Amino acid sequence: MILTQRLRLQLRFKMLVSCIVAVSENGVIGKNGTLPWRLSSDLKRFKEITTGHHIILGRKNYEDIGRPLPNRINLVLSRKENLKIEGCEVFSSLEHAINFAKESGETECFIIGGAEIYKAAMPYCSRLYLTKVKAEIDGDVFMPSLGEGWTLERETSFPADEKNQYSTVFQIFERSLENG
Ligand code: NDP
């Protein structure tokens, strides 16, 4: 079969868009602009999974983190005109941020929240790294719908301990998207 140049380019630059998030039993992901729990093993896993990759985050999430996450290419989304953040690339459109990662030769870029960014990006995501926090949590930011078609690929449970406030279940889901 003869591949067109465009198809060859698409195959060469195929990039996975993945979502990574921790969610309580009642759907909470945040409170007062920050994370509503202390889960050090989850943060460690987040670092391992995302290191070396492009990460896409909302301006509010960036402000909570307070600095570019090291050893990752930080793509911050904001509608503020001319916003510049040292050590980050700022985009006013999710699609431009995803294309930037793709054109840089990225193989897997990560949507790391918060809720507004998850909502906008979910239609592009075909892998989901989900930490289920086994508690009902008081919060003010909730995870939007994950959409349909997900298949559970892996699941591991972790107990609560002195460094992890709640027990958690870490799951990896995948799905194929119609247009790629
Ligand atoms: P976000 O972090 O999603 O940031 C929202 C901001 O991003 C908007 O105000 C706007 O910035 C910009 N923005 C949003 N959509 C777009 C778009 N389509 N194009 C361009 N810019 C866009 O804020 P949330 O309040 O939803 O989430 C923050 C909360 O989520 C915090 O509590 C945080 O701790 C939590 N969180 C939890 C995670 C978890 O795994 N549990 C992970 C990540 C965050 P501007 O106003 O500058 O225009």
Side-chain angles (χ1 to χ4, degrees):
M1 189 177 71
I2 299 167
L3 295 176
T4 62
Q5 191 178 10
R6 189 157 164 231
L7 183 56
R8 245 184 273 129
L9 277 174
Q10 277 174 354
L11 290 174
R12 195 168 141 216
F13 292 118
K14 191 145 179 68
M15 179 184 77
L16 203 57
V17 180
S18 297
C19 169
I20 183 161
V21 63
V23 188
S24 77
E25 285 176 346
N26 56 325
V28 166
I29 65 165
K31 185 181 181 188
N32 297 332
T34 192
L35 293 175
W37 45 63
R38 193 175 38 80
L39 295 169
S40 73
S41 66
D42 192 54
L43 291 179
K44 190 166 166 249
R45 186 169 50 233
F46 172 85
K47 184 176 171 188
E48 283 167 5
I49 292 172
T50 58
T51 288
H53 294 276
H54 288 72
I55 53 174
I56 299 179
L57 64 163
R59 194 260 310 157
K60 292 182 185 172
N61 187 16
Y62 174 78
E63 284 186 359
D64 178 42
I65 297 168
R67 66 189 202 293
L69 285 173
N71 306 316
R72 279 150 280 193
I73 298 153
N74 290 240
L75 311 182
V76 176
L77 288 182
S78 171
R79 297 188 185 91
K80 291 181 201 293
E81 275 180 35
N82 304 319
L83 178 68
K84 298 225 177 345
I85 305 176
E86 211 182 315
C88 299
E89 303 285 339
V90 181
F91 293 87
S92 59
S93 134
L94 170 67
E95 288 72 19
H96 287 165
I98 290 176
N99 277 337
F100 178 89
K102 202 183 276 184
E103 280 163 15
S104 308
E106 180 59 87
T107 52
E108 182 174 15
C109 88
F110 290 88
I111 307 298
I112 69 157
E116 277 192 52
I117 302 311
Y118 289 133
K119 185 169 183 203
M122 202 48 75
Y124 297 99
C125 293
S126 54
R127 183 177 288 166
L128 169 63
Y129 299 84
L130 176 65
T131 299
K132 285 188 167 170
V133 181
K134 304 303 280 177
E136 299 264 328
I137 302 284
D138 178 31
D140 53 20
V141 182
F142 292 81
M143 188 61 188
S145 164
L146 298 174
E148 294 182 349
W150 294 105
T151 303
L152 180 62
E153 299 289 339
R154 235 174 71 193
E155 177 174 276
T156 322
S157 297
F158 299 92
D161 59 28
E162 67 281 0
K163 289 186 173 170
N164 296 280
Q165 213 175 347
Y166 304 106
S167 61
T168 55
V169 179
F170 176 63
Q171 299 177 318
I172 301 177
F173 292 86
E174 292 191 353
R175 68 176 173 186
S176 44
L177 296 174
E178 260 173 39
N179 53 2

